Amino acid sequence: MEMSLIWNSLLLVFAGVLLLRIAGRKSISQMTLAQTVVMISIGSIIIQPIVETSVARTLVATAIFILALIIMEYLQLKFNVIEKFISGKSKIMVKDGNINVKEMRKMRFTVDQLEMRLRQQGISSFSDVKTVTLEPNGQIGYELVEDAKPLTVREFKKLMNMYDEQPANSKNIFEEISDPQEQENPKNLH
């Protein structure tokens, strides 16, 4: 095998990663039809100079692409700088209900796109979110404000324990059902 085949394959893998990084993270997560065609075309263009007509060269180039991917993933685990360069970090798009317009422009993300993604998560108002982030994989992450969070089982159990721990002298609203003869209805309800 030619050494130039290995170097060309590695060069094209890194060039492809760089091009996709420039294209932006939303391109990877939820591609439109046009973006899908462009990404497939980039893949074809990258492989074309290597493959030519030989099946063996195609298999070697594919193996090198996969090996390069494994090495990049390993390096991302070991070195935060490499992870940041290849995958990127989460970007804050909404903080305390306020839209970070500057960050959204850099990400080429419109308010309409953000609203659509939030609605898909069941969020109807920016005031319900503490933070919204665009994750490296192109998905959104969010944290709701305290009042907008759903009731958890833990919180429900805590409320039930508080109810069960009522003082013995507190009035039970079901008393008259259990013993209707003991109590008389208030006069204004006759």
Side-chain angles (χ1 to χ4, degrees):
M1 293 291 148
E2 297 174 22
M3 196 59 163
S4 67
L5 172 65
I6 294 171
W7 290 117
N8 287 342
S9 297
L10 288 174
L11 175 68
L12 290 172
V13 166
F14 291 114
V17 168
L18 184 62
L19 288 171
L20 288 175
R21 186 80 166 98
I22 291 168
R25 58 184 79 201
K26 76 175 181 177
S27 301
I28 297 167
S29 70
Q30 297 196 354
M31 292 190 276
T32 65
L33 183 60
Q35 290 168 331
T36 304
V37 169
V38 168
M39 294 302 168
I40 291 171
S41 299
I42 288 172
S44 297
I45 290 168
I46 287 174
I47 200 70
Q48 190 64 34
I50 298 171
V51 178
E52 294 170 2
T53 57
S54 169
V55 173
R57 288 175 66 92
T58 302
L59 292 175
V60 169
T62 304
I64 291 170
F65 272 60
I66 292 170
L67 181 64
L69 179 64
I70 292 169
I71 290 169
M72 284 189 293
E73 287 173 347
Y74 175 77
L75 291 174
Q76 286 182 72
L77 289 172
K78 290 292 185 184
F79 304 102
N80 200 30
V81 141
I82 293 175
E83 178 189 16
K84 187 176 180 180
F85 175 72
I86 292 175
S87 298
K89 295 288 183 185
S90 298
K91 304 293 183 184
I92 297 175
M93 298 184 347
V94 176
K95 181 81 171 163
D96 297 324
N98 298 314
I99 301 170
N100 186 344
V101 177
K102 181 180 176 187
E103 195 65 44
M104 288 185 63
R105 276 193 192 126
K106 282 180 12 186
M107 310 284 270
R108 296 184 311 277
F109 212 90
T110 68
V111 173
D112 288 341
Q113 291 169 327
L114 178 60
E115 287 173 341
M116 176 191 67
R117 298 267 192 104
L118 289 174
R119 280 192 304 272
Q120 290 171 342
Q121 299 298 323
I123 300 168
S124 58
S125 173
F126 284 115
S127 62
D128 287 344
V129 290
K130 186 174 181 179
T131 49
V132 177
T133 56
L134 185 61
E135 302 298 330
N137 67 358
Q139 300 298 316
I140 63 163
Y142 62 91
E143 180 184 2
L144 297 172
V145 295
E146 202 62 36
D147 289 345
K149 290 181 181 177
L151 182 66
T152 64
V153 172
R154 179 186 310 146
E155 292 165 335
F156 180 72
K157 286 179 180 178
K158 188 176 176 182
L159 287 171
M160 291 307 295
N161 286 337
M162 287 171 48
Y163 175 76
D164 289 341
E165 294 170 359
Q166 286 185 51
N169 63 357
S170 69
K171 183 166 168 84
N172 183 349
I173 61 171
F174 297 106
E175 247 176 45
E176 68 181 46
I177 294 172
S178 60
D179 193 7
Q181 305 300 350
E182 274 185 32
Q183 290 192 340
E184 196 171 310
N185 290 332
K187 293 192 187 276
N188 60 348
L189 293 179
H190 286 284

